[in-house]
Amino acid sequence: MEMESFRAHYIKVAGTIALLGNAVLAAVKLLFAYLSGSLAVMGDGIDSSTDVLIAIVTLFISGMISKPSDKDHPWGHGRAETTATMMLAFIIFFAGTQLVMKSVVKLLNHNDIQSISNYAIIAAVISITGKALLAVLQYHYGKIANSDIVKANAQNMKNDIVMSAGVLAGLVLSDIFNCPVLDPVIALAVGLWVIKNASSLFNQTNTELMDGNVDNILYRKLFHAAISVEGVSNPHKARIRKIANLIDIDLDIEVHPDITVYEAHELAERVEEAVRNEIPEVYDIVIHIEPEGSDSHQPKERFGLTPHQLEQKN
């Protein structure tokens, strides 16, 4: 099985499990929210509903990323996963905003707040149990497929466990102290939690879509691999970008000006091999060869990093 087909298979498995599991949890929680009148449980149910959307998108993406490159997408279709994750961030943000607005309205009209029934507590217990199982499965398949969207879903479900535990604690306290106002307060906290997660997911995917990279370790590995090849010096103008789970690299190196084109090409091939050994996730690497000393006579590079600039970043 080819690598992308392998990934697509396990992403599809993870998406199917998440879809079925979250659909059941969302239905149960929304039903219990209706029976109990709990806004906090409704918020938990809305969050599970967004997880259903994540699962649907994951299933769709699993088929798209396995497509080979074509004339319209010469780098392949890996970025579809990133684009879909960005869309999910907006959906999750919208759901969190709606819950916050409902909670504020409920608090402002506190006379309408009613006591919470035991259905709400039962729903919270079911949510914690179900999300714990789903989080373990999503993390397992996300690690196998090395998929950002599946790993993000696993992290999202871990967050859901914390959120549901908070809902459960608040509902129990509300029942013990006969303080139903805690329900919209908890719902407000849940909504803000959802918005925070959506913002973090947006920032992560936005960095990738803008060809950014905050992982200095990758640059260190790149420079180390380049200078490990005898006859190669001054690796510079390095650019690393992520395409789903893969890495695309541009790099300039210097070689002795008197060697032949063939010898220079051989050095570039050895650099590529060294880089791939250091960074197995490399999808493609383009190496530009320059004669030694030429970099010092050129204007300051507008793009890419040098080892010196990398140290300055720290």
Side-chain angles (χ1 to χ4, degrees):
M1 184 182 293
E2 295 181 359
M3 180 58 68
E4 287 308 308
S5 297
F6 174 86
R7 291 188 66 245
H9 169 73
Y10 282 105
I11 290 175
K12 186 175 182 179
V13 171
T16 301
I17 293 173
L19 174 60
L20 297 176
N22 282 304
V24 171
L25 287 176
V28 169
K29 286 188 277 190
L30 290 175
L31 174 62
F32 279 31
Y34 172 76
L35 295 174
S36 65
S38 170
L39 193 59
V41 174
M42 178 181 291
D44 207 0
I46 291 173
D47 182 69
S48 290
S49 298
T50 64
D51 291 339
V52 173
L53 290 176
I54 292 175
I56 292 173
V57 173
T58 301
L59 286 173
F60 174 75
I61 291 302
S62 67
M64 181 170 290
I65 64 173
S66 62
K67 293 181 179 179
S69 59
D70 52 42
K71 64 183 181 64
D72 294 323
H73 305 90
W75 275 279
H77 297 79
R79 279 284 174 86
E81 184 176 342
T82 313
T83 304
T85 306
M86 175 73 78
M87 293 170 57
L88 290 173
F90 283 106
I91 294 173
I92 295 171
F93 181 86
F94 177 77
T97 303
Q98 292 298 304
L99 182 57
V100 167
M101 293 173 62
K102 287 182 180 179
S103 302
V104 171
V105 170
K106 194 83 169 180
L107 287 170
L108 292 176
N109 298 283
H110 57 86
N111 292 330
D112 296 333
I113 300 176
Q114 301 175 352
S115 298
I116 305 303
S117 74
N118 290 332
Y119 283 118
I121 296 176
I122 295 172
V125 172
I126 292 174
S127 176
I128 293 172
T129 304
K131 286 293 184 178
L133 178 60
L134 288 175
V136 170
L137 291 172
Q138 293 298 297
Y139 176 78
H140 173 70
Y141 287 114
K143 188 175 181 180
I144 291 176
N146 193 20
S147 168
D148 282 346
I149 194 170
V150 177
K151 289 178 181 178
N153 203 14
Q155 184 59 49
N156 181 45
M157 290 179 184
K158 289 180 183 178
N159 294 338
D160 290 344
I161 295 171
V162 176
M163 182 175 68
S164 294
V167 170
L168 177 60
L171 291 173
V172 171
L173 291 174
S174 176
D175 183 60
I176 293 175
F177 296 105
N178 191 26
C179 185
V181 74
L182 282 176
D183 182 62
V185 170
I186 296 168
L188 177 61
V190 169
L192 293 174
W193 177 273
V194 171
I195 290 174
K196 174 184 175 296
N197 290 336
S199 299
S200 297
L201 191 57
F202 173 84
N203 289 333
Q204 174 188 333
T205 53
N206 185 56
T207 298
E208 182 175 336
L209 287 174
M210 293 185 66
D211 290 335
N213 178 64
V214 295
D215 188 356
N216 289 343
I217 294 177
L218 287 177
Y219 281 98
R220 294 184 188 281
K221 288 182 176 180
L222 174 62
F223 292 135
H224 178 266
I227 62 175
S228 70
V229 177
E230 186 178 354
V232 172
S233 62
N234 189 27
H236 60 285
K237 206 174 181 180
R239 285 171 284 180
I240 298 177
R241 64 175 179 170
K242 193 177 180 186
I243 303 177
N245 66 311
L246 302 175
I247 303 296
D248 183 53
I249 297 175
D250 287 346
L251 177 68
D252 285 21
I253 59 174
E254 291 187 356
V255 300
H256 195 280
D258 294 334
I259 66 175
T260 65
V261 172
Y262 178 83
E263 291 171 328
H265 174 75
E266 286 295 302
L267 285 177
E269 290 285 318
R270 290 174 57 192
V271 169
E272 179 176 350
E273 181 180 0
V275 170
R276 289 185 181 276
N277 288 334
E278 285 278 350
I279 311 174
E281 302 84 8
V282 170
Y283 169 73
D284 188 32
I285 176 169
V286 176
I287 300 174
H288 175 67
I289 300 172
E290 299 175 353
E292 283 182 352
S294 62
D295 182 51
S296 60
H297 301 296
Q298 296 175 359
K300 188 175 181 180
E301 303 282 9
R302 289 187 57 195
F303 306 108
L305 287 178
T306 66
H308 177 67
Q309 290 171 325
L310 184 62
E311 292 302 324
Q312 287 181 329
K313 286 180 66 177
N314 294 332

